[in-house]
């Protein structure tokens, strides 16, 4: 009987050990994660083949586990996010901190595209466009002032008496002013046609380098050329971060280097940074960098952070706030 009990006890213990070996284990390196570029990298360990995760209760997704390690990339938003992870019977929750937006996508695309098209105009055409903009704004102000004056004068005429006489004189004077404004508007329209034609030609030259007008969602490559790629994280119309990916080969060709430089300067400017300052620091940092597989010290300008990383084949420039 003792021998039977001993065998039973051993078998029970072995069953418990085997059951324990089959149990899933899930751990994360942190309880709260912050952005790293466009995303927050949630890291951890699990002895399952995959880890299931949900962000703020959205549809569950799966991430493969390699050598008991997993990395889940969560695009950052302007709000704090809750990430629920599951591996077998084990479950845990972590959070991703809220991040600042760079700008709205509409502002970014409009500013970038207008500046890029403008860069293809001649100096004479650029001056004409700038002058037209100033004249147009001034004409609008004059028209608004004229309309307000006429409205007041008509009210005086309606009252009658001495006020009516003053109102009538004002209306008569405004008729002359209105005629002059009409002449200015006609001259402005002629200039607009000339500038519009130049803009159309310039736009055709850069049609493959413009940002799409439709607002993208999530992390996506919004523009890809042979010289560079622009990747954005757009959440609810907000640009949370931008990345420019440039083949290192592009730096060996002056034409390709110039195209990247123009795009980088425009991206810096439309995100609120001082483009000249950033380009100067960037050139200095890349020249002093002797390694092909390292990072470069971050560059800061007017609240915008530029993080630069270099691989054997590409250079990555992340823009965040």
């Amino acid at each position: 009987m003792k021998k039977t009990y001993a065998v039973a006890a051993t078998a029970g213990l072995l069953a418990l050990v085997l059951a324990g070996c089959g149990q899933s284990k899930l751990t994360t390196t942190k309880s709260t994660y912050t952005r790293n570029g466009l995303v927050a990298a949630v890291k951890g360990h699990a002895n399952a083949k995959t880890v299931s995760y949900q962000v703020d209760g959205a549809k569950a997704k799966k991430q493969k586990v390699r050598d008991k390690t997993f990395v889940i990339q969560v695009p950052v938003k302007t709000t704090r996010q809750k990430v629920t992870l599951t591996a077998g019977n084990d479950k845990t929750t972590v959070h991703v901190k809220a991040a600042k937006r760079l700008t709205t996508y509409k502002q970014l695309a409009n500013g970038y595209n207008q500046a890029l098209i403008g860069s293809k105009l001649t100096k004479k055409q650029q001056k004409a466009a700038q002058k037209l903009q100033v004249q147009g704004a001034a004409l609008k102000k004059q028209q608004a002032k004229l309309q307000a004056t006429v409205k007041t004068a008509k009210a005086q005429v309606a009252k009658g008496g001495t006020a009516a006489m003053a109102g009538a004189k004002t209306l008569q004077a405004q008729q002359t002013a209105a005629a002059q404004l009409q002449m200015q508007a006609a001259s402005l329209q002629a200039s607009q046609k000339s500038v519009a034609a130049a803009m159309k030609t310039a736009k055709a030259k850069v049609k493959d380098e413009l940002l799409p007008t439709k607002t993208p969602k999530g992390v996506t490559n919004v523009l890809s050329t042979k010289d560079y790629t622009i990747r954005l994280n757009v959440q609810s119309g907000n640009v949370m971060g931008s990345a420019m990916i440039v083949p290192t080969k592009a730096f060996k060709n002056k034409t390709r280097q110039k195209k990247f430089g123009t795009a980088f300067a425009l991206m810096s400017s439309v995100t609120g940074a001082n483009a000249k300052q950033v380009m100067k620091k960037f050139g200095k940092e890349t020249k002093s960098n002797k390694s092909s597989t390292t990072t470069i010290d971050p560059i800061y300008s007017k609240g915008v952070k530029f993080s630069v990383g270099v691989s054997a084949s590409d250079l990555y420039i992340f823009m965040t706030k």
Side-chain angles (χ1 to χ4, degrees):
M1 289 292 289
K2 287 182 179 180
K3 187 175 181 181
T4 302
Y5 285 135
V7 171
T10 303
L13 181 61
L14 182 61
L16 287 171
V17 170
L18 290 173
C21 289
Q23 287 181 355
S24 59
K25 290 183 180 179
L26 174 65
T27 59
T28 56
T29 56
K30 298 178 182 179
S31 60
T32 300
Y33 292 84
T34 56
R35 77 178 323 158
N36 182 14
L38 308 183
V39 301
V42 177
K43 301 178 182 180
H45 302 278
N47 60 359
K49 290 183 179 180
T50 61
V51 172
S52 176
Y53 67 97
Q54 281 182 295
V55 181
D56 287 339
K59 186 179 179 180
K61 296 181 181 180
K62 289 186 177 181
Q63 179 62 44
K64 287 185 178 180
V65 178
R66 292 182 174 86
D67 297 326
K68 297 185 178 181
T69 302
F70 65 86
V71 180
I72 298 169
Q73 294 186 334
V74 181
V76 294
K77 296 182 179 182
T78 55
T79 55
R80 184 171 181 257
Q81 299 177 83
K82 177 183 176 183
V83 186
T84 304
L85 303 95
T86 306
N89 297 322
D90 216 353
K91 193 173 184 179
T92 190
T93 298
V94 298
H95 292 89
V96 173
K97 280 187 176 181
K100 289 182 178 180
R101 72 175 188 180
L102 274 174
T103 180
T104 66
Y105 181 76
K106 189 173 285 187
Q107 288 175 328
L108 177 76
N110 287 344
Y112 182 91
N113 290 345
Q114 286 176 8
L116 183 60
I117 293 169
S119 70
K120 297 303 175 182
L121 297 174
T122 65
K123 288 185 177 180
K124 185 178 179 180
Q125 289 170 336
Q126 287 177 354
K127 286 182 179 179
Q130 290 170 356
K131 185 179 179 181
L132 183 65
Q133 192 174 20
V134 172
Q135 288 177 330
L139 187 62
K140 280 185 178 180
K141 284 184 179 180
Q142 286 177 316
Q143 287 174 332
K145 186 178 179 181
L146 178 66
Q147 288 171 352
T149 303
V150 169
K151 186 178 179 181
T152 302
K154 283 183 176 179
Q156 288 176 325
V157 171
K159 283 182 179 180
T162 55
M165 292 178 64
K169 286 183 180 179
T170 301
L171 286 174
Q172 190 175 5
Q174 294 310 306
Q175 284 179 352
T176 304
Q180 290 176 343
L181 283 180
Q182 284 181 344
M183 290 177 64
Q184 289 179 32
S187 175
L188 205 62
Q189 284 178 346
S191 299
Q192 282 177 333
K193 286 181 181 180
S194 176
V195 170
M199 292 286 281
K200 187 178 180 180
T201 302
K203 186 176 181 179
K205 290 180 181 178
V206 294
K207 64 178 182 178
D208 296 327
E209 301 169 41
L210 298 173
L211 294 177
T213 53
K214 185 179 179 181
T215 303
K217 295 179 181 179
V219 178
T220 181
N221 292 342
V222 295
L223 179 63
S224 295
T225 73
K226 67 176 183 178
D227 305 310
Y228 56 86
T229 295
I230 296 178
R231 182 178 296 167
L232 301 177
N233 173 18
V234 183
Q235 302 291 335
S236 301
N238 293 313
V239 180
M240 301 305 302
S242 168
M244 288 196 74
I245 306 164
V246 190
T248 51
K249 290 180 181 178
F251 287 94
K252 297 177 183 178
N253 182 289
K254 286 186 177 180
T255 302
R256 297 182 70 186
Q257 191 178 41
K258 186 178 179 181
K259 284 191 174 183
F260 152 71
T262 299
F264 181 33
L266 293 180
M267 285 295 292
S268 300
S269 181
V270 295
T271 53
N274 184 317
K276 287 185 179 180
Q277 182 188 66
V278 172
M279 293 299 288
K280 186 177 180 180
K281 288 184 179 179
F282 176 75
K284 186 178 179 181
E285 290 289 344
T286 51
K287 283 180 182 178
S288 63
N289 180 46
K290 302 298 181 182
S291 173
S292 61
T293 55
T294 187
T295 56
I296 297 172
D297 290 339
I299 298 168
Y300 296 89
S301 176
K302 294 187 175 182
V304 182
K305 178 183 178 182
F306 296 80
S307 305
V308 185
V310 185
S311 72
S313 58
D314 298 296
L315 182 141
Y316 297 81
I317 308 169
F318 294 95
M319 300 174 221
T320 57
K321 276 190 178 179

